[in-house]
Amino acid sequence: MKTITAAAILRETLAAELTADPTVMLMGEDIGVYGGAFGITRGLLDRFGPQRVIETPISENGVVGMAIGAAISGCRPIVEIMFADFVTLAMDPLVNQAAKLRYILGRQASCPLVVRLVAGGGRGYGPTHSQGFAAWFVHTPGLKVVAPSSIADHADLLHAAVQDPNPVVFLEHKRLYGWREPVPADRPVVGLETARTVNRGHDLTILAWSWMAVEAAIAAERLAADGITAEVIDVRCLQPLDMATINESVQQTGRVLIVDEAPRSAGIAAEIGCRVFEASHEYLEAPIRRLTAPDIPVPASPPMEQLTLPDATTIAHAAMGLMETLQ
Amino acid sequence: MKTITAAAILRETLAAELTADPTVMLMGEDIGVYGGAFGITRGLLDRFGPQRVIETPISENGVVGMAIGAAISGCRPIVEIMFADFVTLAMDPLVNQAAKLRYILGRQASCPLVVRLVAGGGRGYGPTHSQGFAAWFVHTPGLKVVAPSSIADHADLLHAAVQDPNPVVFLEHKRLYGWREPVPADRPVVGLETARTVNRGHDLTILAWSWMAVEAAIAAERLAADGITAEVIDVRCLQPLDMATINESVQQTGRVLIVDEAPRSAGIAAEIGCRVFEASHEYLEAPIRRLTAPDIPVPASPPMEQLTLPDATTIAHAAMGLMETLQ
Amino acid sequence: MSQSISAKKLRAAYQRMLLIREFELRVERLFLAGKITGTAHLCIGQEATAVGAVMALRKSDALTSTHRGHGHFLARGGNPDRIMAELYGKRSGYSGGRGGSQFMADYRIGYLGANGITGGSLSVATGVALAARLQNRSRVTLCFFGDGASNQGVFHECLNMAALWKLPVVFLCENNGYAMSMPVARSIAGGSIARRAQAYGIAGEETDGNDLEAVWRAVTNARRRAAKGDGPTLIECHTYRYCGHSRGDPCVYRAPQEKVAWRKRDPIQRMRRILLTRGVLISGEHQRLMQETRRRVQQAVAHAEADAWPKASSLTKGVFA
Amino acid sequence: MSQSISAKKLRAAYQRMLLIREFELRVERLFLAGKITGTAHLCIGQEATAVGAVMALRKSDALTSTHRGHGHFLARGGNPDRIMAELYGKRSGYSGGRGGSQFMADYRIGYLGANGITGGSLSVATGVALAARLQNRSRVTLCFFGDGASNQGVFHECLNMAALWKLPVVFLCENNGYAMSMPVARSIAGGSIARRAQAYGIAGEETDGNDLEAVWRAVTNARRRAAKGDGPTLIECHTYRYCGHSRGDPCVYRAPQEKVAWRKRDPIQRMRRILLTRGVLISGEHQRLMQETRRRVQQAVAHAEADAWPKASSLTKGVFA
Ligand SMILES: Cc1ncc(C[n+]2csc(CCOP(=O)(O)OP(=O)(O)O)c2C)c(N)n1
Ligand SMILES: Cc1ncc(C[n+]2csc(CCOP(=O)(O)OP(=O)(O)O)c2C)c(N)n1
Ligand SMILES: [Mg+2]
Ligand SMILES: [Mg+2]
């Protein structure tokens, strides 16, 4: 089985999509010779030329709006937003145009747009280069939202996102770019509304996604050493949510810990928490627990940033606490 | 006791703030002779002149950014965003600048900015003129978020917002502009972190804010006729939340219905639901219930819009359902 | 370049202008009567710009509109029944009642839609032009926007990119003197929108937006340049809306004389005089055309009145494709 | 207008340029050594623009900076110890370690801060200028931004408003030829940033950004106009960054000869030659100044190394005032 990083598999996938479908195009800042700030598009300009790999000025609003125009014209644009933080400049086209076209205009309009956001903290990039805003998009009807964790999922969900006829916000975590995992060549097809069970367990369910799913898996190993078996589910598809998989697990374990590195208030952990509660409250043996960042901007200082974001240690700790609680 | 509309009391309050404090200034589109799209600033240009009532071109991003520049220079700008939907264009200055200045730069920086958003549906204005995005701001550390319902609160919370040294997102519901209520002249001071108990009851707690609190109060009257006494709490301050008031009520009634006209997923109702659960789960006699809009854009067609948004009827119905459920 | 429009086309254009005028006047009354709720922005007085520009397009071309979009839609051949039904929020409306005045489209005729966001269609249109380039299609995209919209940042972003990449797009600013209550003199630094083209090294042109032929000529030339690969053009059409910005606008921000002066330059009357002079229209024919037009509008109203509301069960359907 | 800078000031400017150069070179090494993490954008090669522009300001003036802000901060008198501590994420940093390279400020000296958002300071600066107008203060605001930032929509919005209201702001574009890897030739339609001033009817000027005196003159004149109420000026300073865009940029997008050519126009060497010619600096003095400067930078590093981390208990403090 080949071992590969998220950065490399994203690059391979983009190349494969560009090869397979002449309507696929990339747009973004510095995605040409530079290969994008994180090297994801490296080499693609050379291979596919400037008609397919369109390097843009720094104009996030205009670029996302243009991608919408291209998408309704039969192209499949994939836009890279260098840091998710900059999507604040493109909320209007995403929310007021892309998200609404299909519902309002009906079948005549489809908007197969993928917006790749480089999200998340942990690299010391500071308050305006460490955000993700996934919750905003989940709160925007008409957008699909995906945040892969496993390396294989980076390929499979990106492929699914490109194939999808709807606008998809695709969150990539910068800490995963250099993360390496073996990836089987033959993999089942993955849909945009599916969660992934990372490992089985019966004591509690840990729900996480993106980088936090990696931390959760590490936490689960540590918990196992203490005799606690945690079922880790990589939620990965944030809108729509695969509540069936989640509820099935929770109804077996009776305990659930939801982990999100975003600020706590009105985050996705709250939504999942409510839905679990709504569907599975009679199975709960302990209160649902959220482990998130506090409601603060992400500080740049490395030790402060570390304190801000959940990690394997704090996840394991929260899980232990949960095991001690009685409903 | 004088009876007055939200539009009129907002106008009075703006005038009072402009009079009391020479650093207060208004910015926005058509806020001059036109008086703003909803007439809130009518007459203020005449009274306070173009130095204080600054009519801007259609440049939401630039205008909110400029207001930040003015705020850190010792002014107290109040920006009107004609429809909340257009704040999508100003997310960058709000989120990446205003919200973070204090936490990052410390005491040297304060940003006493009020951004007034004309929010909400129910007027047939269609998908791009009926949103509110309150949940986005609640999810943005460093912003305070307020959404008054009572007419008095429109004055008192706006006053508090203007006095506050932090950026405050102030959501006004367009359906309240013409709503009229008696307003006592002598009122206690109201803080930006307080909920308001609209009426007492012991069977269940209904949590709502903005226009939904009006609908909830009407629902409570109908429920009373059926022998159900609902305690209605106007949450009104959405960030920070007054969980003390909310939990106290829930712990007495054991049942809670949270009403929000925004789309369901990752909305404020989810956050409140989780917090109630976290603090009060052992008091709950029935599962927490959320009544929200479905995850769809707000349709323009009047009957469809009505089906989309919760109202007194659906609130009463949900409350009855809740009374029949057993934990 | 000197070009002229055939008599037949001129006549058709005149009829289209009448249709727009009568449609809009009727919508105004329907609002006052409470038959239509929500909001709508009427283009009474601006008909020559809509029709003159759209008739310069080919069938394979595309156009994007604004919040003030009924005229553009009708100019492109939108069905008055379905537009009216949309305003009523009825089932056969272009958006099945979901969009209302500011959110309807007919992609089959290249009408990519009104837009509730001021400036919102600038980037979409530019992207459509980009796609046409990539797809090697001969399509040119016409982008309507207002003087107010030209102050949005995205205007700058799109003109820059369209110019850099010589995209086949025509930016047409309907300068009606005001953005809601904001006069151009207080909102456009430097005074001219067309002149802003120079900043991007593209062609810019001002024209009389109440002169159908002038608009047609300007757009025809711009269209040709765009199609040839010579890049975008920014056209500023000077025109005027007689009506308020939207329902309930008392127009306190403009002097009554101003409207009177513009009435003298009414695009429809002017066109009528020209057509009579040229013998394209014969005396008295106007009455007949008016009657036809009114009947057509009445039919649209009757259609909308009789149409059903959207199905309640459809409410949550179709969010995703 | 012909003006000149006193010998004393020129000397101080030269020293400030040296400080910036040495500070940045040191930061580069600290990154490579893993002493500093996160990111930083260095302004090596652009020192004349920073120092020349800032020295044209008065004490009561304000300035906003960019992601490439160390030079602007040092030019304005920022304390190297606290800047370095901020890069380290330490407690005495200007933002207590919370902000890092792209988010620090010292309001007391009118330095309103770096900005992690390309173009993010344009509106803030314009708003500061608006406030100065309302407050009847004589303050002029200098707004630094890059060629890349000039493509953000907010550039257009702010230039328009500043021009309309004749705000006391000086927009200074540091055109270093690239936005990250994007060359100006492929990103600025029309080719000139300064010329975009015409669109707004304001003064625009190009100048050699590696010539401290030229920059100083341009900003001095613009400052005077702004203070007099004559409105904003857009100044485009042509300069070059020797270093990569940020840590780890291999600069594949530019030819090595280009850098060589720009080295010949190095702002510091050029200044040294001039000062020597004018006798402001005597031969050999440069060595001494360099030593002093290096000591100063070393002191900053030592300070940052010795400084404590922020208190863990402070993590959630201070979100609100
Ligand atoms: C982003 C945004 N800001 C504000 C509005 C409210 N608004 C609708 S139309 C309009 C005026 C537009 O002026 P202009 O572009 O000149 O078009 P006109 O109405 O004159 O046809 C305004 C401010 C909006 N719809 N979208
Ligand atoms: C809104 C936004 N988009 C993109 C970036 C990423 N980015 C940081 S600096 C930069 C290049 C800026 O170029 P320029 O304005 O010319 O400044 P320079 O780096 O050349 O000093 C980019 C693309 C950002 N920080 N913010
Ligand atoms: Mg206009
Ligand atoms: Mg640059």
Side-chain angles (χ1 to χ4, degrees):
Chain A
M1 234 179 339
K2 83 173 174 180
T3 286
I4 184 170
T5 63
I9 209 166
L10 285 168
R11 197 179 306 125
E12 277 183 11
T13 309
L14 290 173
E17 299 299 325
L18 284 161
T19 305
D21 182 347
T23 69
V24 171
M25 60 194 256
L26 311 187
M27 297 181 79
E29 294 156 15
D30 302 285
I31 63 171
V33 275
Y34 200 96
F38 293 85
I40 306 305
T41 58
R42 198 171 293 143
L44 300 181
L45 174 63
D46 270 357
R47 279 180 66 188
F48 299 96
Q51 299 273 92
R52 310 284 305 283
V53 178
I54 299 171
E55 214 165 7
T56 73
I58 308 174
S59 305
E60 284 84 0
N61 183 354
V63 168
V64 171
M66 284 179 68
I68 293 168
I72 62 172
S73 305
C75 295
R76 292 188 174 269
I78 306 173
V79 179
E80 173 173 304
I81 302 286
M82 194 184 289
F83 284 81
D85 313 68
F86 314 150
V87 80
T88 46
L89 288 155
M91 291 306 287
D92 185 63
L94 263 176
V95 172
N96 283 326
Q97 317 287 342
K100 296 182 171 39
L101 282 172
R102 180 66 177 206
Y103 182 76
I104 305 298
L105 299 181
R107 286 171 181 281
Q108 66 181 323
S110 55
C111 187
L113 164 70
V114 178
V115 180
R116 296 176 41 236
L117 304 182
V118 179
R123 297 275 297 260
Y125 287 147
T128 59
H129 286 64
S130 306
Q131 302 166 96
F133 308 125
W136 293 359
F137 303 113
V138 170
H139 190 57
T140 304
L143 299 180
K144 295 192 177 181
V145 186
V146 186
S149 160
S150 84
I151 303 306
D153 279 350
H154 278 76
D156 301 343
L157 290 173
L158 181 56
H159 172 70
V162 174
Q163 296 302 314
D164 200 88
N166 300 290
V168 180
V169 175
F170 190 87
L171 291 121
E172 301 168 9
H173 201 293
K174 45 181 93 72
R175 286 172 98 165
L176 284 163
Y177 283 149
W179 188 253
R180 189 178 282 281
E181 272 173 13
V183 169
D186 277 330
R187 306 186 297 271
V189 172
V190 164
L192 283 186
E193 320 188 0
T194 58
R196 176 177 69 96
T197 303
V198 179
N199 64 282
R200 297 269 169 208
H202 52 260
D203 291 325
L204 84 161
T205 302
I206 304 181
L207 304 175
W209 53 92
S210 192
W211 177 256
M212 287 297 122
V214 173
E215 298 281 352
I218 300 170
E221 281 175 29
R222 297 199 197 149
L223 288 165
D226 281 339
I228 298 171
T229 68
E231 180 142 309
V232 176
I233 295 180
D234 174 4
V235 178
R236 78 182 175 187
C237 297
L238 305 175
Q239 180 71 289
L241 281 162
D242 176 5
M243 289 310 301
T245 301
I246 292 171
N247 279 312
E248 197 185 315
S249 173
V250 171
Q251 291 175 12
Q252 272 164 28
T253 62
R255 286 180 159 82
V256 59
L257 171 66
I258 313 169
V259 187
D260 184 4
E261 75 164 82
R264 186 181 200 78
S265 288
I268 294 169
E271 180 60 32
I272 297 177
C274 274
R275 292 212 202 171
V276 165
F277 179 71
E278 282 155 6
S280 306
H281 55 91
E282 64 271 43
Y283 296 88
L284 292 177
E285 284 158 32
I288 296 164
R289 183 86 188 263
R290 291 186 285 167
L291 181 66
T292 69
D295 282 341
I296 60 171
V298 181
S301 178
M304 302 307 272
E305 186 179 33
Q306 206 187 320
L307 280 174
T308 303
L309 307 174
D311 60 21
T313 306
T314 56
I315 293 171
H317 186 81
M320 306 274 254
L322 193 57
M323 291 312 298
E324 284 155 20
T325 340
L326 290 175
Q327 171 75 310
Chain B
M1 234 181 336
K2 82 173 174 180
T3 286
I4 184 171
T5 63
I9 210 166
L10 285 167
R11 196 179 307 125
E12 277 184 11
T13 309
L14 290 173
E17 299 299 325
L18 284 160
T19 306
D21 182 348
T23 70
V24 171
M25 59 194 257
L26 310 187
M27 297 181 79
E29 294 157 14
D30 301 285
I31 62 171
V33 274
Y34 201 96
F38 293 85
I40 306 305
T41 57
R42 197 171 293 144
L44 300 181
L45 174 63
D46 270 357
R47 279 180 66 188
F48 299 96
Q51 300 272 91
R52 309 286 304 283
V53 178
I54 299 170
E55 214 165 7
T56 72
I58 308 174
S59 306
E60 284 85 359
N61 183 354
V63 168
V64 171
M66 284 179 67
I68 293 168
I72 62 173
S73 305
C75 295
R76 292 189 173 268
I78 306 173
V79 179
E80 174 173 303
I81 301 287
M82 195 184 289
F83 285 81
D85 313 67
F86 314 151
V87 80
T88 47
L89 288 155
M91 291 306 286
D92 185 62
L94 263 176
V95 172
N96 284 326
Q97 317 288 342
K100 295 180 172 41
L101 283 172
R102 180 66 178 208
Y103 182 76
I104 305 299
L105 298 181
R107 286 171 183 280
Q108 65 182 323
S110 57
C111 186
L113 165 70
V114 178
V115 179
R116 295 177 41 233
L117 304 182
V118 179
R123 297 274 297 259
Y125 287 147
T128 58
H129 286 64
S130 306
Q131 303 166 95
F133 308 125
W136 293 359
F137 303 111
V138 169
H139 189 58
T140 304
L143 298 180
K144 295 192 176 180
V145 186
V146 186
S149 160
S150 85
I151 304 306
D153 279 350
H154 279 75
D156 301 344
L157 289 173
L158 180 57
H159 172 70
V162 174
Q163 296 302 314
D164 200 89
N166 300 290
V168 180
V169 175
F170 190 86
L171 291 121
E172 300 168 11
H173 200 293
K174 45 180 93 71
R175 287 173 98 164
L176 284 164
Y177 283 149
W179 189 254
R180 190 178 282 280
E181 274 173 12
V183 169
D186 278 331
R187 306 186 298 272
V189 172
V190 163
L192 283 186
E193 321 188 358
T194 58
R196 177 178 68 97
T197 304
V198 178
N199 65 283
R200 296 270 169 206
H202 51 262
D203 291 326
L204 84 160
T205 302
I206 304 181
L207 304 174
W209 54 94
S210 192
W211 177 256
M212 288 297 123
V214 173
E215 299 280 353
I218 299 171
E221 280 174 30
R222 297 198 198 150
L223 289 165
D226 281 339
I228 297 170
T229 68
E231 180 141 309
V232 176
I233 295 179
D234 173 6
V235 178
R236 78 181 175 187
C237 297
L238 304 175
Q239 181 70 289
L241 281 162
D242 176 4
M243 289 310 300
T245 300
I246 293 171
N247 279 312
E248 197 185 314
S249 173
V250 172
Q251 291 176 12
Q252 271 165 30
T253 62
R255 286 181 158 82
V256 60
L257 171 66
I258 313 170
V259 187
D260 185 3
E261 75 164 80
R264 187 179 199 80
S265 289
I268 294 169
E271 180 60 31
I272 297 177
C274 274
R275 292 212 202 171
V276 165
F277 179 71
E278 283 155 6
S280 305
H281 55 91
E282 65 269 45
Y283 297 88
L284 292 176
E285 283 159 32
I288 296 164
R289 182 87 189 264
R290 291 186 285 167
L291 180 66
T292 68
D295 281 341
I296 60 171
V298 181
S301 179
M304 301 308 270
E305 186 180 32
Q306 206 188 320
L307 280 175
T308 303
L309 308 174
D311 60 20
T313 306
T314 57
I315 294 170
H317 186 81
M320 305 273 255
L322 193 56
M323 291 312 299
E324 284 154 20
T325 340
L326 290 175
Q327 171 74 310
Chain C
M1 227 169 293
S2 122
Q3 298 137 320
S4 62
I5 317 175
S6 73
K8 195 175 144 216
K9 278 202 172 159
L10 273 182
R11 205 187 148 85
Y14 179 67
Q15 281 183 274
R16 205 47 72 86
M17 284 166 70
L18 284 183
L19 175 64
I20 295 172
R21 173 74 53 99
E22 291 304 311
F23 187 90
E24 295 289 72
L25 286 169
R26 188 62 189 266
V27 171
E28 194 168 42
R29 295 216 311 275
L30 290 165
F31 257 107
L32 292 176
K35 289 285 188 182
I36 304 181
T37 53
T39 189
H41 307 84
L42 309 176
C43 65
I44 304 167
Q46 306 187 184
E47 298 87 353
T49 300
V51 176
V54 171
M55 70 187 288
L57 298 183
R58 305 224 173 135
K59 216 174 154 187
S60 54
D61 290 344
L63 70 152
T64 62
S65 173
T66 66
H67 57 288
R68 200 178 298 289
H70 308 165
H72 307 143
F73 203 173
L74 289 168
R76 184 62 172 182
N79 181 338
D81 298 351
R82 295 191 62 197
I83 299 176
M84 192 63 87
E86 188 60 35
L87 300 182
Y88 270 77
K90 294 290 184 75
R91 198 183 293 182
S92 75
Y94 270 105
S95 303
R98 289 175 171 182
S101 170
Q102 300 190 81
F103 211 148
M104 50 178 139
D106 188 353
Y107 282 22
R108 281 159 315 175
I109 58 172
Y111 178 75
L112 302 182
N115 209 304
I117 302 301
T118 302
S121 59
L122 283 156
S123 57
V124 175
T126 310
V128 172
L130 174 68
R133 154 73 47 79
L134 300 178
Q135 296 162 337
N136 261 318
R137 293 170 71 175
S138 63
R139 163 182 273 193
V140 170
T141 302
L142 172 67
C143 175
F144 284 107
F145 62 101
D147 46 285
S150 78
N151 291 322
Q152 288 285 25
V154 76
F155 167 86
H156 169 68
E157 298 182 356
C158 290
L159 264 78
N160 188 50
M161 288 187 277
L164 282 169
W165 303 333
K166 290 190 180 295
L167 297 182
V169 52
V170 178
F171 295 107
L172 190 147
C173 180
E174 296 180 283
N175 181 349
N176 58 8
Y178 295 88
M180 226 163 134
S181 68
M182 174 62 98
V184 161
R186 284 202 292 117
S187 65
I188 310 281
S192 164
I193 295 163
R195 222 183 307 135
R196 292 187 173 179
Q198 293 172 10
Y200 311 100
I202 62 168
E205 186 175 340
E206 301 198 33
T207 193
D208 180 347
N210 281 9
D211 177 346
L212 179 128
E213 292 176 284
V215 173
W216 176 82
R217 262 193 308 277
V219 177
T220 299
N221 289 334
R223 194 206 167 279
R224 185 177 309 119
R225 274 196 298 275
K228 271 203 329 205
D230 289 346
T233 303
L234 173 59
I235 300 173
E236 178 177 3
C237 294
H238 291 282
T239 182
Y240 196 78
R241 61 166 158 78
Y242 298 147
C243 47
H245 168 73
S246 62
R247 188 169 59 108
D249 170 7
C251 288
V252 287
Y253 48 87
R254 51 188 200 186
Q257 312 89 281
E258 194 181 87
K259 193 160 151 183
V260 173
W262 277 93
R263 281 273 183 203
K264 296 208 179 102
R265 301 173 53 191
D266 184 84
I268 294 182
Q269 278 169 33
R270 189 154 148 186
M271 186 76 172
R272 178 156 70 245
R273 278 194 302 272
I274 293 172
L275 295 195
L276 286 168
T277 314
R278 296 199 200 151
V280 175
L281 217 60
I282 54 170
S283 169
E285 206 181 349
H286 169 71
Q287 291 312 321
R288 192 175 57 70
L289 292 180
M290 272 299 275
Q291 272 164 19
E292 248 175 47
T293 306
R294 292 210 172 114
R295 261 200 307 276
R296 185 66 193 87
V297 172
Q298 178 51 38
Q299 179 197 315
V301 174
H303 168 84
E305 291 273 351
D307 195 14
W309 293 113
K311 276 206 203 107
S313 62
S314 72
L315 183 71
T316 57
K317 303 248 168 76
V319 174
F320 291 115
Chain D
M1 226 170 294
S2 122
Q3 298 138 319
S4 63
I5 317 176
S6 73
K8 194 175 145 216
K9 278 201 172 161
L10 273 181
R11 206 188 148 86
Y14 179 67
Q15 280 183 277
R16 205 49 71 86
M17 284 166 70
L18 283 183
L19 175 64
I20 294 172
R21 173 75 53 100
E22 292 304 311
F23 187 92
E24 295 290 70
L25 286 169
R26 188 62 188 266
V27 170
E28 193 167 41
R29 295 217 311 276
L30 290 165
F31 258 107
L32 293 176
K35 289 286 187 180
I36 304 181
T37 53
T39 188
H41 307 84
L42 308 176
C43 66
I44 304 167
Q46 305 186 185
E47 298 87 353
T49 300
V51 175
V54 172
M55 70 188 288
L57 298 182
R58 305 223 174 137
K59 214 172 158 191
S60 54
D61 291 344
L63 70 152
T64 62
S65 173
T66 66
H67 57 289
R68 200 176 298 288
H70 308 164
H72 307 143
F73 203 173
L74 289 168
R76 184 63 173 183
N79 180 338
D81 298 350
R82 295 192 62 197
I83 298 176
M84 192 64 87
E86 188 59 37
L87 299 182
Y88 270 77
K90 295 290 186 74
R91 197 181 295 181
S92 75
Y94 270 105
S95 302
R98 288 175 171 182
S101 170
Q102 300 190 80
F103 211 148
M104 49 178 140
D106 188 352
Y107 282 22
R108 281 159 315 175
I109 58 171
Y111 179 75
L112 301 181
N115 209 305
I117 302 301
T118 302
S121 59
L122 283 156
S123 57
V124 174
T126 310
V128 172
L130 174 67
R133 155 73 46 79
L134 300 178
Q135 295 162 340
N136 261 317
R137 293 169 71 176
S138 63
R139 165 183 271 193
V140 170
T141 302
L142 172 67
C143 175
F144 284 107
F145 63 102
D147 47 285
S150 78
N151 290 323
Q152 288 285 24
V154 75
F155 167 85
H156 169 68
E157 299 182 356
C158 290
L159 263 78
N160 188 50
M161 287 187 277
L164 282 170
W165 303 333
K166 290 191 180 295
L167 297 182
V169 52
V170 178
F171 295 106
L172 190 148
C173 180
E174 295 180 284
N175 181 349
N176 57 9
Y178 295 88
M180 226 163 134
S181 68
M182 174 62 97
V184 160
R186 284 203 292 118
S187 65
I188 309 282
S192 163
I193 295 163
R195 223 184 304 134
R196 291 187 174 178
Q198 293 171 11
Y200 311 100
I202 62 169
E205 185 177 340
E206 302 197 32
T207 193
D208 180 347
N210 281 9
D211 177 346
L212 179 128
E213 291 174 283
V215 174
W216 176 82
R217 263 193 307 275
V219 177
T220 299
N221 290 335
R223 194 206 166 279
R224 186 176 309 119
R225 274 196 297 276
K228 272 204 328 206
D230 290 346
T233 303
L234 173 59
I235 301 173
E236 178 179 2
C237 294
H238 293 282
T239 182
Y240 196 78
R241 60 167 158 77
Y242 298 147
C243 46
H245 168 73
S246 61
R247 189 168 60 107
D249 169 7
C251 288
V252 287
Y253 48 87
R254 51 188 201 186
Q257 311 90 279
E258 194 181 87
K259 192 160 150 182
V260 174
W262 276 94
R263 281 273 183 201
K264 296 209 180 99
R265 301 173 53 191
D266 184 84
I268 294 181
Q269 278 170 33
R270 188 155 150 187
M271 186 76 173
R272 179 156 69 245
R273 278 194 302 272
I274 293 171
L275 295 195
L276 285 168
T277 314
R278 297 199 199 151
V280 174
L281 218 59
I282 53 171
S283 167
E285 206 182 349
H286 169 70
Q287 291 312 322
R288 193 176 57 70
L289 291 180
M290 272 300 274
Q291 273 165 18
E292 247 175 49
T293 306
R294 291 208 172 117
R295 262 201 306 276
R296 185 66 194 87
V297 172
Q298 179 51 36
Q299 179 196 315
V301 174
H303 168 85
E305 292 274 351
D307 194 14
W309 294 113
K311 275 205 202 111
S313 62
S314 72
L315 183 70
T316 58
K317 303 250 168 75
V319 174
F320 291 115

